Amino acid sequence: LQDYEKARYFDELACNAGNARGCKNLGMLYHEGLGVELNYDLAHHFYEMACNGGNAIGCTNLGILHQNGLGVPVDYQQANFYYELSCEHGNYRGCSNLGILYKEGLGLEVDLALAFDWFERGCDGGDEFGCFNVGYSYAHGQGAEKNVLLASQLYDQPARKI
């Protein structure tokens, strides 16, 4: 059982003291409406503080807000920016999410080979979503040569570690 009120109190203290993780945690509370009223504007505010403070998850979550138009207009270029930044700083879900932008042509030219590269980078960092998409790419020959054996291995072992 979570005590979101207590979590919010301590995360506010941490964030106000410049702790990026505390800011990210506050963003998540407002993003999900956990113990507070759902508020994408506040989620964006706290994620931005977190990302600017070097918190890669905060950057990924900013990308999600921009990709889906949550509290901000849909802006795939901003999503791209934040996903790439998060990936560079070690949040491999950002790599995988960037792969989706390339695969689906969301604000970017469809580029299945580049999508595959981002999925692979996410998977190599341990992101299961990236591994699933690498497997899917192999299974369907999208961005990589079709290879059902590799696809099945990735489906069986979802996350690779560098």
Side-chain angles (χ1 to χ4, degrees), residues 14-149:
C15 184
N16 289 336
N19 181 292
R21 184 176 182 183
C23 297
K24 181 267 301 177
N25 290 345
L26 282 172
M28 292 176 81
L29 292 176
Y30 285 103
H31 186 170
E32 301 294 330
L34 301 173
V36 296
E37 189 171 324
L38 183 101
N39 186 322
Y40 294 126
D41 292 332
L42 283 174
H44 188 278
H45 170 74
F46 289 117
Y47 286 152
E48 193 166 52
M49 290 176 69
C51 184
N52 290 339
N55 184 281
I57 296 172
C59 298
T60 298
N61 291 346
L62 274 173
I64 290 168
L65 295 180
H66 285 280
Q67 180 180 347
N68 296 293
L70 301 174
V72 294
V74 170
D75 187 338
Y76 297 121
Q77 297 306 318
Q78 282 292 100
N80 177 4
F81 172 78
Y82 287 117
Y83 289 152
E84 191 165 345
L85 187 61
S86 70
C87 183
E88 290 171 4
H89 288 95
N91 183 264
Y92 296 101
R93 176 55 57 97
C95 310
S96 301
N97 288 355
L98 189 52
I100 290 295
L101 297 183
Y102 279 104
K103 180 181 177 188
E104 302 296 329
L106 300 174
L108 303 164
E109 193 75 27
V110 171
D111 187 329
L112 297 179
L114 200 48
F116 178 82
D117 290 343
W118 285 109
F119 292 145
E120 194 166 48
R121 190 166 172 188
C123 183
D124 287 344
D127 182 56
E128 292 181 4
F129 180 66
C131 294
F132 172 83
N133 280 291
V134 170
Y136 184 91
S137 297
Y138 278 130
H140 298 277
Q142 294 183 350
E145 189 174 327
K146 188 171 184 171
N147 187 325
V148 177
L149 179 61

